[in-house]
Amino acid sequence: MIEIYTDGACSGNPGPGGYGLVILKDNNIIKWKKSEFCDNTTNNREEMKAIIEAFRLADFCFPGEDVFIYSDSAYCVNMINDWIWNWSKNGWKNSKKK
């Protein structure tokens, strides 16, 4: 089983920041990655970038394997686990039908 732990942060919001992730297989660290420094970003942006990179690495490096991605961002977790289903059902339109 593959586990990927992600995190993103910035100093100020917006402000300078970045993200990082750690990949474990059978409880052993097999890879870690940190982003380049970003001059002007937000916490949510960096959290999302970490998760996107985790999906990219999972697809490229571990095809066919079970991959679990962890995040401490309630915004990202809710987006992926809950909100996406209604967005899809509503044709990717917001509450104002745009």
Side-chain angles (χ1 to χ4, degrees):
M1 177 177 69
I2 305 296
E3 297 174 294
I4 305 177
Y5 291 85
T6 66
D7 202 5
C10 68
S11 181
N13 207 14
Y19 70 85
L21 57 87
V22 176
I23 302 174
L24 291 90
K25 182 170 186 168
D26 302 322
N27 286 330
N28 295 307
I29 295 174
I30 60 171
K31 183 173 180 66
W32 62 270
K33 180 176 182 175
K34 64 179 182 171
S35 71
E36 295 295 320
F37 173 77
C38 187
D39 219 13
N40 189 28
T41 190
T42 66
N43 288 337
N44 283 341
R45 185 179 297 146
E46 295 306 310
E47 295 277 8
M48 286 186 273
K49 285 166 52 177
I51 291 171
I52 290 167
E53 183 64 9
F55 277 117
R56 189 188 72 72
L57 288 169
D59 186 46
F60 182 76
C61 298
F62 312 106
E65 292 196 52
D66 289 334
V67 177
F68 294 86
I69 299 174
Y70 297 92
S71 171
D72 66 350
S73 167
Y75 177 74
C76 290
V77 170
N78 289 333
M79 183 183 344
I80 293 169
N81 290 334
D82 298 323
W83 304 339
I84 197 168
W85 306 112
N86 280 334
W87 293 341
S88 176
K89 185 175 71 177
N90 294 332
W92 303 101
K93 295 181 181 174
N94 63 19
S95 61
K96 296 179 183 175
K97 307 294 183 211
K98 294 183 179 183

